[in-house]
Amino acid sequence: MKGTHSVLVLMAKMVKFPPLKSLSLFYRSTHQGFQHTHQSVSFILLQLLSSNSLPSAQSLLLNILSNRLSSPFFTVSSLTHHLTQPHFSPNPTTLALLYESVINAHVKSHLPEQALFFFNQMIDKGLVPGTNTFNNLLSSLIKSKHFVKSWFVYNLGKGRVKLDAYSFGIMIKGCCQLGDLERGFELLVQLEEMGLCANVVMYTTLIDGCCKSGDTDKAKFLFDKMGELGLVPNQYTYTALIDGFFKKGHRKDGFQLYQKMKICGVTPNLYTYNCLINEYCNEGQMYKAYELFDEMRDKGVAMNVVTYNTMLCGLCRGKRVAEAEKLIIRMKKAGIAPNLITFNTLIDGLANLGMIDKASNLFEEMKSSGQSPSLVTYNILIECHSKAGDFVAVVDLVRQMEERGISPSKVTYTILINAYVRCGHMKKAFQLYHFMENVGMAPDVYIYGVLVHGLCMEGNMKEASTLFQLMGQMQIEPNGVIYDTMIHGYCKQGSSYRALRLIDEMVKKGLVPSDASYNSTIGILHKDGKWQAADDLLRKMREARI
């Protein structure tokens, strides 16, 4: 009774003030230890909504949802239930505003499914949300990767809610994220049929989606259509298409578009530079990459960890590890902390040069800096120590992996099996191969390739042939390397018939035998006195090289 009396006293005071002053009194009473009830919260919300103070109403609800404002007299669930009862609001307009406030508060609290629950309630009651509330809910569902639900909301709102260009933009973005470009283009048609105009963001989203799906022709068509519609491509539009061209191997088109971008007065941004630097690094043109790297600094474009990692990858690929180490020092001075990719890249660079001690020291530095090694990190080091024949270090690294809860992958097993093969421990290699099968990890073409290679080097062509045939039974297609290995093995045994048969089989499958396979087989045919077969194979070899 005391609580009810206090509420009535507070409400009597609040009714004398304008809504915002009442809200101030409401909050002040909370700070003074007043425990609010359904009635006091409902009362102040009704005042705010009646005066169209939607932001304040939404802010109050956010405080409740985040538990910054709580009371023993209600829970979030009981309060929202109370607020959405028909008896609470005197008219449909205020009730609709209340629902919008509740939906937006849940969206801002990153609770999209709860927001959807109240949206459905609102629709069931014949109430229509405003365009902004509808768009906020759509955007929240898309960001939370609830695409099916967002499509349901879109279809439910269509014909009820007044859609705008932003509504379509949100859905087009969702379609592109899902890779459903066909539906994205359908939305573009619907937009135009409603008399609305597509904007640069929509076209950029679709261009990016086309590029990510590998359809650069469609992306280029959209880019050209933008010009016809009078839409001016921005930095993101250019960068999306440039990146798409590069990933398809159309370097010339990518760099031509970059030149056009500059001619049109569109300033490259961080993502543009990262894209271009990556392409130069992939092609080994580090001097060009450095030119852009320095240009970024001169133009005041802040580099990020991706920029540095891309440069490091290019340097390490070119075995310029000393420069890579200096770049990391420069990176740290710029206030950019190395991440997992940074460490993995340099560790790999050092390992490839056989600098095992430096790679191990960097591994320890990585752990002490708070970075957790990944499966990739361990695979790099395991391979590094395997090549050096240091199986003690390999075993220790596998133990560390397991302690960190990281399970070996097929790559890990391939590295370990390859290490045993190189040392001539075929029995141990096959033990590991069978262990993989027992734990439900199916060996792939690379593991078979390693085992076939080991058997062929031992001259054990019977077992190699058995394994080769097993691949076919397992629906694993041997690659060119495995065929070449088998051919070389048969040639060492002087079996020209089997070597020739495998060459013919390769050609029929569209694989190209290596020069070594051709030459070895031709040599064995000559040795066996099969002159015509040798001449025929030589002719086929020359035809294949034209």
Side-chain angles (χ1 to χ4, degrees), residues 518 535 537-546:
Y518 274 118
D535 288 344
L537 189 58
L538 181 61
R539 177 179 50 78
K540 288 178 183 178
M541 176 184 173
R542 287 170 176 168
E543 287 173 354
R545 297 295 180 264
I546 293 174

Side-chain angles (χ1 to χ4, degrees), residues 442-470:
D444 58 19
V445 67
Y446 302 105
I447 289 174
Y448 279 111
V450 170
L451 291 169
V452 167
H453 175 75
L455 291 168
C456 288
M457 291 305 100
E458 280 189 344
N460 190 349
M461 292 309 296
K462 184 179 178 181
E463 288 296 324
S465 179
T466 301
L467 201 61
F468 186 80
Q469 290 169 15
L470 179 63

Side-chain angles (χ1 to χ4, degrees), residues 409-438:
S409 65
K410 285 183 183 179
V411 174
T412 317
Y413 283 111
T414 305
I415 293 165
L416 293 170
I417 290 170
N418 193 29
Y420 284 128
V421 167
R422 276 200 309 270
C423 295
H425 299 315
M426 290 303 297
K427 186 177 179 181
K428 288 184 178 179
F430 271 97
Q431 283 175 349
L432 205 50
Y433 160 74
H434 292 305
F435 176 77
M436 282 183 69
E437 291 184 313
N438 292 336

Side-chain angles (χ1 to χ4, degrees), residues 105 111 128 158 206 220 274 277-278 285 321 346 378 394 408 416 420 424 456 471 482 508 515 518 546:
L111 300 168
V128 180
K158 202 164 51 173
L206 286 167
K220 181 66 168 60
N274 283 351
I277 288 171
N278 184 61
Q285 295 178 289
V321 175
L346 190 53
Y378 281 108
V394 168
L416 293 170
Y420 284 128
C456 288
M471 290 180 69
I482 295 175
K508 284 177 184 176
D515 286 346
Y518 274 118
I546 293 174

Side-chain angles (χ1 to χ4, degrees), residues 112-387:
E113 296 197 66
Q114 289 88 327
L116 178 57
F117 172 80
F118 289 107
F119 171 80
N120 288 331
Q121 263 196 14
M122 189 177 186
I123 295 295
D124 289 343
K125 291 180 179 179
L127 301 170
V128 180
T131 306
N132 286 342
T133 300
F134 183 73
N135 289 345
N136 288 342
L137 177 57
L138 281 181
S139 183
S140 177
L141 290 167
I142 293 289
K143 286 175 182 174
S144 305
K145 302 192 185 305
H146 294 308
F147 185 77
V148 174
K149 290 178 181 176
S150 71
W151 195 251
F152 167 78
V153 169
Y154 169 77
N155 285 321
L156 194 63
K158 202 164 51 173
R160 290 186 176 95
V161 180
K162 185 179 179 182
L163 302 180
D164 61 9
Y166 189 48
S167 315
F168 286 96
I170 294 165
M171 294 306 295
I172 287 171
K173 182 179 180 181
C175 289
C176 290
Q177 285 177 351
L178 199 69
D180 191 350
L181 289 171
E182 186 177 344
R183 191 178 284 186
F185 282 106
E186 286 173 7
L187 286 166
L188 190 64
V189 172
Q190 289 178 27
L191 169 84
E192 291 167 349
E193 286 175 348
M194 286 183 63
L196 297 171
C197 295
N199 55 33
V200 173
V201 174
M202 288 180 205
Y203 271 93
T204 300
T205 302
L206 286 167
I207 286 168
D208 187 49
C210 288
C211 288
K212 282 176 178 167
S213 70
D215 193 349
T216 50
D217 290 338
K218 191 66 175 284
K220 181 66 168 60
F221 170 79
L222 288 171
F223 185 86
D224 293 338
K225 189 179 176 183
M226 285 180 71
E228 294 169 11
L229 295 172
L231 296 172
V232 180
N234 59 24
Q235 297 162 313
Y236 299 98
T237 320
Y238 277 104
T239 303
L241 189 50
I242 289 168
D243 188 50
F245 281 140
F246 286 157
K247 283 177 179 169
K248 284 285 282 188
H250 302 157
R251 296 186 78 242
K252 184 180 177 182
D253 291 331
F255 284 114
Q256 281 180 348
L257 188 60
Y258 173 58
Q259 292 305 321
K260 181 179 178 180
M261 177 183 183
K262 292 195 291 185
I263 290 167
C264 291
V266 180
T267 307
N269 61 13
L270 170 66
Y271 305 104
T272 319
Y273 279 112
N274 283 351
C275 172
L276 294 162
I277 288 171
N278 184 61
E279 185 62 19
Y280 281 131
C281 288
N282 285 339
E283 293 298 313
Q285 295 178 289
M286 291 308 298
Y287 69 99
K288 287 278 191 183
Y290 267 115
E291 282 178 6
L292 286 175
F293 190 77
D294 293 336
E295 185 181 306
M296 287 179 75
R297 181 196 58 212
D298 296 340
K299 291 193 174 180
V301 179
M303 300 160 191
N304 64 1
V305 69
V306 175
T307 319
Y308 280 98
N309 285 346
T310 304
M311 292 290 293
L312 288 167
C313 188
L315 290 168
C316 288
R317 195 183 291 122
K319 299 184 178 180
R320 295 160 65 173
V321 175
E323 285 182 61
E325 289 178 302
K326 289 177 183 176
L327 192 61
I328 286 185
I329 295 169
R330 186 172 166 182
M331 178 182 181
K332 290 175 181 176
K333 284 181 179 177
I336 299 173
N339 62 11
L340 179 61
I341 294 172
T342 316
F343 281 107
N344 282 350
T345 301
L346 190 53
I347 289 170
D348 188 46
L350 291 165
N352 286 333
L353 290 177
M355 302 169 76
I356 301 175
D357 290 341
K358 289 194 82 171
S360 299
N361 290 338
L362 189 60
F363 177 61
E364 294 304 321
E365 182 188 327
M366 174 187 181
K367 290 188 288 184
S368 63
S369 72
Q371 290 285 346
S372 295
S374 66
L375 176 62
V376 173
T377 321
Y378 281 108
N379 283 345
I380 292 167
L381 288 165
I382 288 169
E383 183 168 29
C384 173
H385 287 289
S386 294
K387 285 179 179 177

